[in-house]
Structures are given as structure tokens and as C-alpha cells.
Amino acid sequence: MLNIPSTRSHSSATTTLVQRLSSLPRETRDTLWLLLVVGWVISPLTPHVPVWTMPFAYALLLWRAWLAWTQRPLPNRWIKGGLLLIALVLTIVSHKTIVGRDAGVTLIIMLLVLKTLELRARRDAMVIFFLGFFTLLANFFFSQSLLVAMVMLLGLLGLLTALINSNMPVGKPPLAQSMRTAAWMSLLGAPIMLVLFMLFPRMAPLWGMPGEDPRGRSGLSDEMKIGSMASLVLDESVAMRIKFDTPGGRPPDQRHLYFRGPVLSYFNGQEWFAGSTYEARANNGGGASPTQLTVRGESIKYEVTMEANRRSWLLLLDAADTPPVLPAEMRARMTPSLQWIANRPIVNVLRYTAESHIDFSSGPTERTKELKPFVQLPHGFNPRTLELAQQMRADPTLQGKGNMAYVNAALQRLRTGGYTYTLEPGLTGTHSADEFWFDSKMGFCEHIASAFVVLMRGLDIPARMVSGYQGGEVNGYDGYWTVRQADAHAWTEVWIESRGWMRVDPTGAVMPSRVGEYRRLQTPRGIFGDAMDTVISPTMLTQMRAAWEAVNNRWNQWVLNYTQERQLNLLRSLGFETPSWQDLARLLGLIAGLSALIGVAWSLWEKNHQDPWQRMLQIARQRLVKLGIDLPVHLPPRSMARRIRTERADASLEPVAQWLLRVDQARYAEKPEAALSQLQRDLRGLSWPGSSTATSTPARPTRA
């Protein structure tokens, strides 16, 4: 028979642990608390530092906690110097430098953790507090999301608690008392923070951070290896949120929701590359060809909130003939392939408005030399696909009917040839198009689109790959249309006589529901996913995610996207006709002046409604001044008693010194209010030499 531990034994163990923690010496308790806060502050940086950093850091923190728990001596300077050298060498090996954002963050983490190994005096704690606050801010180098902000708020309260606790040098004040003070200080500072956030002038960054990774964080790229896009289905992170300015905020039909990204024109047999310079070179160096964009029908207006991707791409609904409205410091231009590019990478959440037409045509209507790059193929690749193209060219039923006839024939082959849309098409060899058309007949969107473009070029029909996002889903809580990295898609554009470039999505021929009904392929859930479904229903998880994303979207809209333009709009709503940064400065100065007056009034009120402990000590100081002992206001009671004994060796003021020691003991006890009234009565009964009201009755001792 199994001996299953009872609930009572677990409760007893928990009680024992709590008692053990409460009985720890104050130095040990405070050290463990500070180590816990440090571990919390550095934790969000885990994805952004080399893989060795966090195991090294947490191992040192655990070692320091063990030293504090067992009250063993701290390591000597040779050990600390060796650990610092190891951290420095590992940082240089990982980053190839110690300069820049990434290397700097790695170093600041290691310096913060190593500093805990020499935590002996209060000044060491102050250095740790300083490094802790700096590390706290370093988290925002990488993300300003609501989740990171919430984690950092807890870290801030933890550091403030430790800082306040370090300024209570006597007794063993409970951490809960310091926590309450830290929370109250944060609440008092919140209005000042809000005013500075709203009114401090917004300016473009005056510097950059060397060493920042120039590669994009977006799922898209201007280089695409066949098979790479299938991995994006695993990424459910949000790429952008869209609010359509249509009746009811409804988006266009799913089959029209193509958000244009990089256009890939050059193919080396294995990878596709964005072809802007390639196209310009084919245009005899005469610069990029004109877009020749023609739009028809009513426009669709919408607002995009795009997540940072460190690229300069602006993702717009196909196709926009006017620039999107960006913040004042940014500009946008259109490439010959209809892609909109900003004048600098998107390193923060960006909000912009745009206007698009889903009915459009672009490019030349007659075949010209600028189309030459779009029929070129690398030599020696995909011979069977090129042979298929020759067979189609020789088909009398297709001859003389124009490019569109060949496009329809290729799409019909995809519909009826047993081709499959899948996330796991297997490894792609040298001849990727041949393998798709004749062997595996399986592929994700980029396999299908690439093979289609190769076939079209084999037919001497200009064609190109387009990457971007297709589809999305509405968030039922805030009504925003959400596009995720998993919605990344690749389609093609084919040049048609008398029409120009025309979008052709061959994936829709293989799996029509992917485009028309927006049915994404789902990755296998695995054992853990199936187990979670038995605990929490998938519907509830979806609703929880939608609710969180709606809240996070509000954070993006009102905090991260609070731009200079919105600042000036705030001033307009306050009555400024033509607001400027000078108006912001004047308004900020006015509020600062009013705040100073309120602070003065508060100080005067506080002086008249002083803390009873401070008022009691103030009375004692005034009595001592009359006896020729002038004590500084900042001295705590224990230090006051020491000064009295030093300056009056005759012990005439020993009762006063004893009373001050009892005040010191009671002030930092767990329940100081219990002894306050008795200490006040004892003060009135103290014997003061030379005083007519003095009494020789000694003060009655009280229990702290």
C-alpha cells in the first residue's frame, strides 16, 4: 500500500519554512530579498543575451543566496576578479566587442550579479540599487510591450522596497512596511510621471545604438529560401492590427486581403531575392521604372498599427496610389514594384493611415525591355519544368490566345493534378520546381508560387514572386483586424498583354479555402497541446488571447504611439490655435510651478501635523537645546542617546538617554503604535536638570 503524504504534513512543512524565514537575521533576510528582486529584473532579458549569460548569472545569485542562508564568508577578491574576467571574455567572444547595446546589456547583467558577491556595507547596496534601476530600463531597449512594463513595475516596487528598507538601519522592520511605503511613493509619483509623459516635447532620437542587429524581426525577408516561410506558421505573434474605416468597421472580402511586402524578382535556383537594383540594371541603368499604377472604384481607408520589425517596409493593402500618413518625422516612397518604403527602419510600434484600391492594374501594357529581368532563369536548374513549358508552348489549343491562356492552363494543372498544400513538404533539392511539379506534388505557399513563376518564365511570360500577408481575423473585443506572422504568404504576379501585372495566387488553386475562406494550416498540437485541451477548452484560450491582445493594443495606441502630433492635438483641445513645442514648454513650466506651490503647502501642513514620533523627538531636542546640547535633526534616537552620554559624563541625563533607546527599539518593532502613548507619557515625566517642572520619578519601562 502506498504511503501518500497527507495534506497536514505539507501544511506543517510550509509552516516550518515560514517560521524559518521569519526567524532569519535581518541581514540575511534583506540579502535574500534583494537577490530575489535582482533575479526578477534580469529575467525578461533572457531572449536577448547570449545563451551562457542567464545560467551564469542565476548560478552566482544562488551561490550568494546560499552564502547568506548559511552565513558563510563572501569570496575573496581573487575569486571575484576571476569571475569578472570570465564574464568579460565570454562577452567579447559572444559579441566580438564590449561596445554597443547588446554587449552593454550583457555586461551590466554580469556586473549587477557579481556586485552581490561583495554586498557587505550599505554603500555596496546603493551600487546594486543603481545597477538594478539601470538594468530595469535596459529591458525597454528590446520591448516596450504591456507585459514587459508590468514585469518592470513589479521590479521597480521590489527595488524601492529594498532601498527604503536599507534606510531603516535600526531594528528589524517588516518588509511589508517597506512595501507599503514603496507603493505609496509610486502612487505619489504617478501624477508627475503622467504630466511629463503627456507634455514633455517629443523629438526624434539624437543618437543610435551601435551594435544593434540590422536584420529584421518580421517574419518576412527580402531573401526567401524555398521552404523557409512554412516555419512562420509556428509564430502566432501579431504583425499588425488594422482598423478599417468602413461601415461597421468590416474589412473587404477575404480574397482581397493581400498586404504587400517585398517583391522577389531574382532567382538563383535555390533562393529568391528582392530585385530593385536588378530591375534598375536591366533598365540600362536609367533608374527604376515607373509604376504605371491605375486604380479603379472606391477606395478603402484604414489605420494600421504595425509592430516593430527593424525593416523599412510599410505593409499596405494592395494597392495604394497615395503615400500613407506617417508621423511628422517619417517619409514614404513607392518602389516600381508597388511596395511602400519608409525613410528609416521601423524599430518601434508604428501607427499610420492609408488608402487603397482593391481594383487596380500596374506596369506597362505592352512588352518592353523593363520586363526582361522577369523572364530570366538560372542555367542548369529545373530542366523538367522547362520541358513542360515547351510542351505547353507547342500545344495548339493554347497557341495564339495570349499569356492568360497559359496561366489558366497552369492553374488547371494545379487543381486537377493531385497537388497538396502542406506544412511538411519534405526537403527541397537542387531542382525545387521539378520536384514540386513531378515528384512530391506537395508544398507550402512559397513552393507553389516559386514553381509557378519558374514555369511562367519558362514560357517566356514575365512573372515575379510577392511576399506579404494574406487574411487575418477580427478581434471580438476591440473590433481590430489582427494579422499575425503565421499569416505570411507568397503569391505571384504575371504580366498580361494590354493589362500589365496581374495577381495570380496559385495556392488558391491547390487549396481554395486558404484564400477565399481563410483556413490556415494548423501545426500538430502534440501531447502537451492535447493535454491542455482537457484542462482548458480551446475556445476559452482563444477568447483569453483575444482579450489580452485587445488590452495590449490599447497600450500600443495610447502609450507607445503617443507621438508629437498627438501631443499637439492635445494642446489644440486645450485651446491653443497653433501649438508648438514652446507652448508645451510653457505649459509644462506652469504645471511645475503649481506643483511646487502644492509641495510647499503640503510641507507647511505636514509641519503642523507632524508624525507623532517625530513630534515627540522634536520636543526632546528643544529641551536639550536649553541644556546646551544641540543635536542635528537627522540623528536617529540611538545616536542622540550616544551624543548625550558623550557630552554629559555626569549621568544627569541618563534617564533621557534610556528613554531615547526605548524609542529607538519601539519605533522599529513589529507593532510600534502599541508603545507610542506610553512613551509620550514617559516624556512628560522625564527629569530635566534645571527645569522647574522636573520630577525625580523615573520613567516607567515599557515593552517594545
PDB file of all heavy atoms in Angstrom, residues 188-200:
ATOM      1  N   LEU A 188       2.364  58.495  -5.419  1.00  0.00           N
ATOM      2  CA  LEU A 188       2.593  59.935  -5.371  1.00  0.00           C
ATOM      3  C   LEU A 188       3.342  60.421  -6.607  1.00  0.00           C
ATOM      4  O   LEU A 188       3.123  61.537  -7.084  1.00  0.00           O
ATOM      5  CB  LEU A 188       3.381  60.293  -4.107  1.00  0.00           C
ATOM      6  CG  LEU A 188       2.635  60.165  -2.772  1.00  0.00           C
ATOM      7  CD1 LEU A 188       3.567  60.515  -1.622  1.00  0.00           C
ATOM      8  CD2 LEU A 188       1.395  61.053  -2.748  1.00  0.00           C
ATOM      9  N   GLY A 189       4.237  59.584  -7.138  1.00  0.00           N
ATOM     10  CA  GLY A 189       4.998  59.985  -8.322  1.00  0.00           C
ATOM     11  C   GLY A 189       4.253  59.794  -9.622  1.00  0.00           C
ATOM     12  O   GLY A 189       4.659  60.344 -10.659  1.00  0.00           O
ATOM     13  N   ALA A 190       3.144  59.014  -9.595  1.00  0.00           N
ATOM     14  CA  ALA A 190       2.412  58.732 -10.836  1.00  0.00           C
ATOM     15  C   ALA A 190       1.877  59.993 -11.522  1.00  0.00           C
ATOM     16  O   ALA A 190       1.999  60.120 -12.738  1.00  0.00           O
ATOM     17  CB  ALA A 190       1.291  57.745 -10.547  1.00  0.00           C
ATOM     18  N   PRO A 191       1.264  60.958 -10.795  1.00  0.00           N
ATOM     19  CA  PRO A 191       0.795  62.169 -11.491  1.00  0.00           C
ATOM     20  C   PRO A 191       1.922  62.938 -12.170  1.00  0.00           C
ATOM     21  O   PRO A 191       1.745  63.451 -13.290  1.00  0.00           O
ATOM     22  CB  PRO A 191       0.153  62.991 -10.362  1.00  0.00           C
ATOM     23  CG  PRO A 191      -0.212  61.996  -9.318  1.00  0.00           C
ATOM     24  CD  PRO A 191       0.858  60.958  -9.377  1.00  0.00           C
ATOM     25  N   ILE A 192       3.084  63.034 -11.524  1.00  0.00           N
ATOM     26  CA  ILE A 192       4.221  63.720 -12.137  1.00  0.00           C
ATOM     27  C   ILE A 192       4.660  62.990 -13.401  1.00  0.00           C
ATOM     28  O   ILE A 192       4.914  63.598 -14.448  1.00  0.00           O
ATOM     29  CB  ILE A 192       5.385  63.821 -11.138  1.00  0.00           C
ATOM     30  CG1 ILE A 192       4.942  64.601  -9.897  1.00  0.00           C
ATOM     31  CG2 ILE A 192       6.602  64.477 -11.778  1.00  0.00           C
ATOM     32  CD1 ILE A 192       5.977  64.633  -8.788  1.00  0.00           C
ATOM     33  N   MET A 193       4.722  61.669 -13.314  1.00  0.00           N
ATOM     34  CA  MET A 193       5.091  60.870 -14.480  1.00  0.00           C
ATOM     35  C   MET A 193       4.095  61.074 -15.616  1.00  0.00           C
ATOM     36  O   MET A 193       4.477  61.212 -16.787  1.00  0.00           O
ATOM     37  CB  MET A 193       5.141  59.394 -14.091  1.00  0.00           C
ATOM     38  CG  MET A 193       5.439  58.453 -15.243  1.00  0.00           C
ATOM     39  SD  MET A 193       4.939  56.752 -14.882  1.00  0.00           S
ATOM     40  CE  MET A 193       3.141  56.937 -14.879  1.00  0.00           C
ATOM     41  N   LEU A 194       2.808  61.113 -15.291  1.00  0.00           N
ATOM     42  CA  LEU A 194       1.780  61.280 -16.318  1.00  0.00           C
ATOM     43  C   LEU A 194       1.901  62.639 -17.008  1.00  0.00           C
ATOM     44  O   LEU A 194       1.796  62.733 -18.233  1.00  0.00           O
ATOM     45  CB  LEU A 194       0.392  61.120 -15.681  1.00  0.00           C
ATOM     46  CG  LEU A 194      -0.799  61.254 -16.636  1.00  0.00           C
ATOM     47  CD1 LEU A 194      -0.736  60.160 -17.702  1.00  0.00           C
ATOM     48  CD2 LEU A 194      -2.113  61.173 -15.859  1.00  0.00           C
ATOM     49  N   VAL A 195       2.134  63.690 -16.229  1.00  0.00           N
ATOM     50  CA  VAL A 195       2.278  65.026 -16.816  1.00  0.00           C
ATOM     51  C   VAL A 195       3.502  65.086 -17.724  1.00  0.00           C
ATOM     52  O   VAL A 195       3.443  65.629 -18.838  1.00  0.00           O
ATOM     53  CB  VAL A 195       2.367  66.087 -15.697  1.00  0.00           C
ATOM     54  CG1 VAL A 195       2.777  67.436 -16.270  1.00  0.00           C
ATOM     55  CG2 VAL A 195       1.031  66.208 -14.978  1.00  0.00           C
ATOM     56  N   LEU A 196       4.617  64.533 -17.268  1.00  0.00           N
ATOM     57  CA  LEU A 196       5.815  64.530 -18.108  1.00  0.00           C
ATOM     58  C   LEU A 196       5.592  63.723 -19.378  1.00  0.00           C
ATOM     59  O   LEU A 196       6.043  64.106 -20.463  1.00  0.00           O
ATOM     60  CB  LEU A 196       6.998  63.956 -17.323  1.00  0.00           C
ATOM     61  CG  LEU A 196       7.537  64.839 -16.197  1.00  0.00           C
ATOM     62  CD1 LEU A 196       8.607  64.089 -15.411  1.00  0.00           C
ATOM     63  CD2 LEU A 196       8.098  66.142 -16.755  1.00  0.00           C
ATOM     64  N   PHE A 197       4.890  62.603 -19.260  1.00  0.00           N
ATOM     65  CA  PHE A 197       4.615  61.787 -20.439  1.00  0.00           C
ATOM     66  C   PHE A 197       3.749  62.545 -21.439  1.00  0.00           C
ATOM     67  O   PHE A 197       3.987  62.491 -22.651  1.00  0.00           O
ATOM     68  CB  PHE A 197       3.920  60.491 -20.019  1.00  0.00           C
ATOM     69  CG  PHE A 197       3.444  59.661 -21.172  1.00  0.00           C
ATOM     70  CD1 PHE A 197       4.332  58.870 -21.880  1.00  0.00           C
ATOM     71  CD2 PHE A 197       2.111  59.667 -21.555  1.00  0.00           C
ATOM     72  CE1 PHE A 197       3.906  58.110 -22.958  1.00  0.00           C
ATOM     73  CE2 PHE A 197       1.669  58.916 -22.624  1.00  0.00           C
ATOM     74  CZ  PHE A 197       2.571  58.126 -23.320  1.00  0.00           C
ATOM     75  N   MET A 198       2.758  63.255 -20.943  1.00  0.00           N
ATOM     76  CA  MET A 198       1.830  63.941 -21.834  1.00  0.00           C
ATOM     77  C   MET A 198       2.433  65.187 -22.463  1.00  0.00           C
ATOM     78  O   MET A 198       2.146  65.500 -23.627  1.00  0.00           O
ATOM     79  CB  MET A 198       0.561  64.326 -21.057  1.00  0.00           C
ATOM     80  CG  MET A 198      -0.200  63.149 -20.478  1.00  0.00           C
ATOM     81  SD  MET A 198      -0.998  62.120 -21.720  1.00  0.00           S
ATOM     82  CE  MET A 198      -2.328  63.200 -22.246  1.00  0.00           C
ATOM     83  N   LEU A 199       3.287  65.897 -21.719  1.00  0.00           N
ATOM     84  CA  LEU A 199       3.695  67.234 -22.165  1.00  0.00           C
ATOM     85  C   LEU A 199       5.163  67.382 -22.511  1.00  0.00           C
ATOM     86  O   LEU A 199       5.535  68.371 -23.148  1.00  0.00           O
ATOM     87  CB  LEU A 199       3.335  68.266 -21.080  1.00  0.00           C
ATOM     88  CG  LEU A 199       1.849  68.398 -20.748  1.00  0.00           C
ATOM     89  CD1 LEU A 199       1.647  69.420 -19.645  1.00  0.00           C
ATOM     90  CD2 LEU A 199       1.043  68.782 -21.980  1.00  0.00           C
ATOM     91  N   PHE A 200       6.017  66.465 -22.091  1.00  0.00           N
ATOM     92  CA  PHE A 200       7.430  66.628 -22.441  1.00  0.00           C
ATOM     93  C   PHE A 200       7.583  66.514 -23.952  1.00  0.00           C
ATOM     94  O   PHE A 200       7.099  65.555 -24.557  1.00  0.00           O
ATOM     95  CB  PHE A 200       8.293  65.584 -21.737  1.00  0.00           C
ATOM     96  CG  PHE A 200       9.752  65.939 -21.730  1.00  0.00           C
ATOM     97  CD1 PHE A 200      10.265  66.760 -20.747  1.00  0.00           C
ATOM     98  CD2 PHE A 200      10.604  65.486 -22.712  1.00  0.00           C
ATOM     99  CE1 PHE A 200      11.609  67.103 -20.726  1.00  0.00           C
ATOM    100  CE2 PHE A 200      11.947  65.818 -22.714  1.00  0.00           C
ATOM    101  CZ  PHE A 200      12.447  66.641 -21.719  1.00  0.00           C
TER     102      PHE A 200
END
